[in-house]
Amino acid sequence: MFARLLKARLVLLLALATQGLGPALSFAQQTNIVYHQVSYTNAHPCPICLPPPWDDSGYPIFSSWGGGLVLDLDGDGQLDVGFADDDMSFYIFGFGSTRVLTYPPVCYPYGCEINSSLPVLGAGTTIGPTPPDPNLIWRETLYIIQPYTGTYNSCIDIGYPEQACSGFWQGVEGYTGVEFYISNEVHYAWIHVGVPFIGLQGGYVREYAYETRPNTPILAGAGKDSDHDGVWDFFDQCPDTPAGAVVDTNGCSIAQLCPCNGPWKNHGEYVKAVESVAARFVQEGRITEQQRAAIVKQAANSDCGKVR
């Protein structure tokens, strides 16, 4: 088994070296966090390896024939982490001194497993020097020299087409915590992984972000702002805010907090709600008094809340 795994990793390394990074990356930066989205814009090298339905919001890894993915998290030319599927397990591995947040490997009287299971971290989980859960550890997931990996899920055939699968990543979306180095200094990152299928090893690597300040924790999901309103998605209670709209700390604009088609008893109730929210925006320094007055006047002149 060990020889097979080592051979598979050697073959994968050659494939990765040939493919390079493979996916197209889009970049955005907010405060001290750099966010990257991973996508696969070209035809997948192994279309028959992809289970339906196709999902183009991440890089698919479902088979050794489909190849793996390696990432240079900070773009300094040094590979940091990689992902692969050896037709038995979907896993992450590190380069150099990179460590991954995992459960401790299972140990027996004669020794310990070389692989360890990955937890499903939720959005907002603190990823830093101290693991967010006392049951987790930072562990090197060395590649080739010592084929230690962090495993998302594993499956074995028990009679076609049935498979027996293990691992916490079955039909879930979540985050993986990574500790890597930039110029000999420790940095922390999160990687968003999706495993939409139950009973099948493999998944999608969707996006990641890292903290540019050394030895500084990062919150899982921090740095992603889909509607570009300045509030990260996992804090944003009002997604899809119109471009340029002023929002509060929850990512909500006055129009979203006081929608014209809301459950207003009458027009006066609607105007009163707008007045209250606009006054709060002034107190918080988000808009000026002149802007508040114009917003309230517009609300008073509207048909919102009126019985039609």
Side-chain angles (χ1 to χ4, degrees), residues 253-267 269-271 273-274 298-308:
S253 66
I254 295 176
Q256 289 172 310
L257 293 171
C258 305
C260 183
N261 60 351
W264 313 112
K265 296 179 180 178
N266 51 56
H267 180 64
E269 185 181 49
Y270 166 74
V271 175
V274 172
Q298 184 180 30
N301 293 334
S302 72
D303 292 329
C304 300
K306 295 181 179 179
V307 178
R308 293 182 177 85

Side-chain angles (χ1 to χ4, degrees), residues 86-99:
D86 60 9
D87 299 319
M88 294 182 295
S89 301
F90 171 40
Y91 56 87
I92 184 175
F93 55 87
F95 292 92
S97 299
T98 296
R99 299 198 298 175

Side-chain angles (χ1 to χ4, degrees), residues 10-304:
L10 286 168
V11 172
L12 175 63
L13 182 59
L14 292 175
L16 293 174
T18 302
Q19 293 180 10
L21 292 180
L25 302 178
S26 60
F27 304 87
Q29 183 168 350
Q30 179 176 1
T31 61
N32 299 301
I33 295 175
V34 177
Y35 167 78
H36 299 229
Q37 184 175 5
V38 181
S39 62
Y40 201 92
T41 57
N42 301 318
H44 194 270
C46 181
I48 64 173
C49 300
L50 297 176
W54 166 255
D55 184 342
D56 62 0
S57 64
Y59 191 99
I61 303 174
F62 288 95
S63 167
S64 61
W65 291 102
L69 170 69
V70 291
L71 296 174
D72 173 3
L73 297 177
D74 61 311
D76 65 353
Q78 301 295 318
L79 296 180
D80 298 303
V81 293
F83 300 82
D85 186 322
D86 60 9
D87 299 319
M88 294 182 295
S89 301
F90 171 40
Y91 56 87
I92 184 175
F93 55 87
F95 292 92
S97 299
T98 296
R99 299 198 298 175
V100 176
L101 201 56
T102 78
Y103 288 104
V106 178
C107 293
Y108 307 96
Y110 53 82
C112 298
E113 296 272 359
I114 62 172
N115 302 324
S116 54
S117 297
L118 293 163
V120 181
L121 302 179
T125 300
T126 300
I127 299 171
T130 302
D133 185 313
N135 295 313
L136 300 178
I137 63 171
W138 282 109
R139 186 172 189 240
E140 288 188 356
T141 53
L142 303 180
Y143 186 65
I144 295 298
I145 299 175
Q146 291 176 293
Y148 301 156
T149 65
T151 304
Y152 289 98
N153 51 49
S154 300
C155 294
I156 58 173
D157 293 329
I158 57 175
Y160 184 81
E162 299 296 325
Q163 288 189 315
C165 298
S166 62
F168 298 102
W169 293 75
Q170 296 282 330
V172 299
E173 296 273 340
Y175 297 85
T176 295
V178 174
E179 178 188 271
F180 71 108
Y181 283 79
I182 302 176
S183 300
N184 297 319
E185 292 184 306
V186 173
H187 291 257
Y188 292 96
W190 57 259
I191 301 176
H192 180 199
V193 175
V195 180
F197 307 104
I198 298 175
L200 177 69
Q201 91 278 350
Y204 294 89
V205 181
R206 303 196 187 284
E207 57 199 345
Y208 62 92
Y210 71 93
E211 170 62 63
T212 60
R213 296 170 295 179
N215 299 301
T216 302
I218 186 173
L219 300 180
K224 183 180 181 181
D225 180 12
S226 298
D227 57 8
H228 307 290
D229 62 0
V231 178
W232 295 330
D233 285 4
F234 67 84
F235 286 139
D236 200 334
Q237 297 180 13
C238 297
D240 302 321
T241 301
V246 178
V247 300
D248 60 12
T249 55
N250 296 318
C252 298
S253 66
I254 295 176
Q256 289 172 310
L257 293 171
C258 305
C260 183
N261 60 351
W264 313 112
K265 296 179 180 178
N266 51 56
H267 180 64
E269 185 181 49
Y270 166 74
V271 175
K272 185 176 181 180
V274 172
E275 288 178 335
S276 176
V277 174
R280 175 167 66 84
F281 272 49
V282 171
Q283 293 175 350
E284 295 171 351
R286 304 183 189 281
I287 61 175
T288 66
E289 177 59 35
Q290 290 75 17
Q291 290 173 319
R292 183 205 66 79
I295 291 170
V296 173
K297 181 179 180 180
Q298 184 180 30
N301 293 334
S302 72
D303 292 329
C304 300

